[in-house]
Structures are given as structure tokens and as C-alpha cells.
């Protein structure tokens, strides 16, 4: 359901359509069908993005929808796909849509979105300005009892520090001949290619 919702959200952002236009669409590979409750949730995301773009007005530089990046010059494994990143002359907004109704995802210090922010801004004029503000947004309309959009502000300078001190440091630790191994419940639900041969497990 989430994959189909993401796909329809991206198409709507590119075409200007509302989510209701895709009611009944199915993904035969996953047997998912886009239902009314899905359309209502996706529309919350679309409305938020469109308001953000409208508020930015002439300040808007570009909007990246489902944009892939691979910064091999940073690290061979530094890659991802941003749901929707809006880059303005004076700030950027990184938006991620979560269709899940179970666990609430926080925007604060969200490493997935920080990576998306680096991917979108690296090599741009904004990347040269450490004070350039970046808003991280999680849009998760189907979680009951919390705001559908949660935000956290950071800066390019803070992203550079995180990239150097956290992301790259962690990546280098995995490349050691004797890496520290910390198995946990995530091992059985992750995409780790070593989980079947991990000596710590």
C-alpha cells in the first residue's frame, strides 16, 4: 500500500492532480489497491507540499520529486531517493511521506532525511553557506493522535558536521576488518546482507 501511495503522490505532485483521481488504481505486483482512505492521507501530503511551494513563491529554485542521488565522491554507499525536496534561495525543505499507521516517525534528527538533505544540496550554492536553513518534515497522516506533519529545523553547517562525524565515521567503522557487531531485533527485519553469516548472531 505504501509503495502505491508514494507512486501516486509523486505523480500528483508532477501533474497537479489530486489523489482522488487515482481511486481504484491497483498494483498487480503487490495486490495493493488505492482506496479512499489512502487518497485522504496522500492528499494531506499534497496539500502541505503545495502550500509550501506557494508560500515560497519567487524564492523557489527547484522542486525535486522522487529524485535519486548517489554521491560516490562522498562515499560509494551514499545514495537515496528523496520523496520531495523544495530548494529555495533562502531555505530548503525536505519532505518525506510515511503511509504507515503504526509507529510514529519523528522528524527530529531523522538520519534518513538528513541524508536526503545532503543529497539534494551537496554541490549547490546552498552547500557553501553553513547558515543556510533546512527544514525536515515527516508527513504521516494515518497515525492517530499526533500532528500529521512534524518538523525539525537544521542547517547546512550542522548537516556537514553530521555527515563527517556521524555518517562517514559509521561507514568507515563497517569497513574495518574487525568491526563492532551489535545484533538486535532489527537484524531479522533489515536488509543486512550479512545477517545469515554474522558471527555475533
Amino acid at each position: 500500500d505504501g509503495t502505491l501511495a508514494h507512486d501516486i503522490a509523486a505523480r500528483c505532485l508532477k501533474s497537479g492532480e489530486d489523489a482522488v483521481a487515482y481511486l481504484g488504481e491497483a498494483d498487480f505486483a503487490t495486490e495493493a489497491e488505492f482506496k479512499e482512505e489512502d487518497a485522504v492521507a496522500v492528499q494531506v501530503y499534497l496539500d502541505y507540499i503545495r502550500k509550501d511551494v506557494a508560500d515560497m513563491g519567487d524564492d523557489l529554485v527547484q522542486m525535486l520529486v522522487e529524485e535519486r542521488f548517489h554521491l560516490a565522491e562522498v562515499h560509494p554507499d551514499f545514495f537515496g531517493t528523496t520523496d520531495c525536496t523544495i530548494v529555495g534561495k533562502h531555505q530548503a525543505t525536505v519532505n518525506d511521506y510515511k503511509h504507515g499507521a503504526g509507529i510514529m516517525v519523528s522528524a527530529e534528527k531523522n538520519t534518513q532525511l538528513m541524508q536526503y538533505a545532503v543529497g539534494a544540496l551537496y554541490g549547490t550554492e546552498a552547500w557553501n553557506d553553513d547558515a543556510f536553513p533546512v527544514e525536515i518534515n515527516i508527513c504521516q497522516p494515518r497515525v492517530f493522535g499526533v500532528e500529521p506533519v512534524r518538523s525539525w529545523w537544521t542547517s547546512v553547517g550542522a548537516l556537514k558536521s553530521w555527515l563527517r562525524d556521524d555518517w562517514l565515521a559509521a561507514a568507515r567503522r563497517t569497513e574495518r576488518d574487525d568491526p563492532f557487531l551489535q545484533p538486535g531485533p532489527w537484524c531479522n527485519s533489515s536488509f543486512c546482507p550479512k545477517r545469515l553469516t554474522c558471527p555475533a548472531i
Side-chain angles (χ1 to χ4, degrees):
D1 289 345
T3 301
L4 181 59
H6 269 85
D7 179 53
I8 289 173
R11 282 188 269 167
C12 288
L13 286 174
K14 291 175 181 177
S15 69
E17 296 172 293
D18 285 338
V20 70
Y22 292 91
L23 280 177
E25 180 157 329
D27 182 337
F28 296 105
T30 62
E31 299 182 4
E33 181 183 343
F34 196 67
K35 301 177 284 296
E36 186 175 353
E37 67 179 273
D38 302 315
V40 169
V42 168
Q43 194 63 44
V44 171
Y45 171 69
L46 297 176
D47 291 345
Y48 185 84
I49 298 292
R50 289 167 179 167
K51 182 180 184 309
D52 203 20
V53 169
D55 289 347
M56 201 167 282
D58 294 338
D59 223 35
L60 181 68
V61 174
Q62 63 178 341
M63 184 168 79
L64 308 170
V65 178
E66 292 295 328
E67 187 82 10
R68 294 182 179 185
F69 63 87
H70 182 197
L71 301 181
E73 62 270 39
V74 172
H75 190 278
D77 292 326
F78 197 88
F79 59 86
T81 305
T82 177
D83 286 355
C84 182
T85 296
I86 303 164
V87 182
K89 294 173 187 173
H90 301 101
Q91 71 177 57
T93 307
V94 181
N95 302 283
D96 195 58
Y97 178 73
K98 303 291 186 191
H99 197 62
I103 299 170
M104 189 271 289
V105 180
S106 173
E108 185 173 351
K109 297 182 181 176
N110 185 298
T111 55
Q112 178 189 14
L113 272 71
M114 290 168 76
Q115 186 163 334
Y116 292 170
V118 173
L121 298 174
Y122 188 88
T124 67
E125 278 188 40
W127 191 250
N128 298 322
D129 178 6
D130 284 355
F132 192 84
V134 180
E135 184 181 28
I136 304 286
N137 294 315
I138 294 282
C139 183
Q140 192 178 16
R142 299 175 71 219
V143 173
F144 180 74
V146 296
E147 287 296 317
V149 179
R150 295 173 294 284
S151 303
W152 175 68
W153 284 91
T154 187
S155 68
V156 163
L159 289 171
K160 287 178 180 177
S161 296
W162 167 80
L163 178 62
R164 179 189 64 241
D165 300 336
D166 294 337
W167 199 97
L168 284 171
R172 289 186 184 111
R173 286 195 300 273
T174 70
E175 295 160 356
R176 292 176 46 180
D177 291 334
D178 59 338
F180 171 69
L181 303 175
Q182 185 177 5
W186 50 82
C187 295
N188 293 322
S189 61
S190 74
F191 297 100
C192 177
K194 301 292 185 183
R195 67 184 178 273
L196 297 179
T197 57
C198 175
I201 295 174

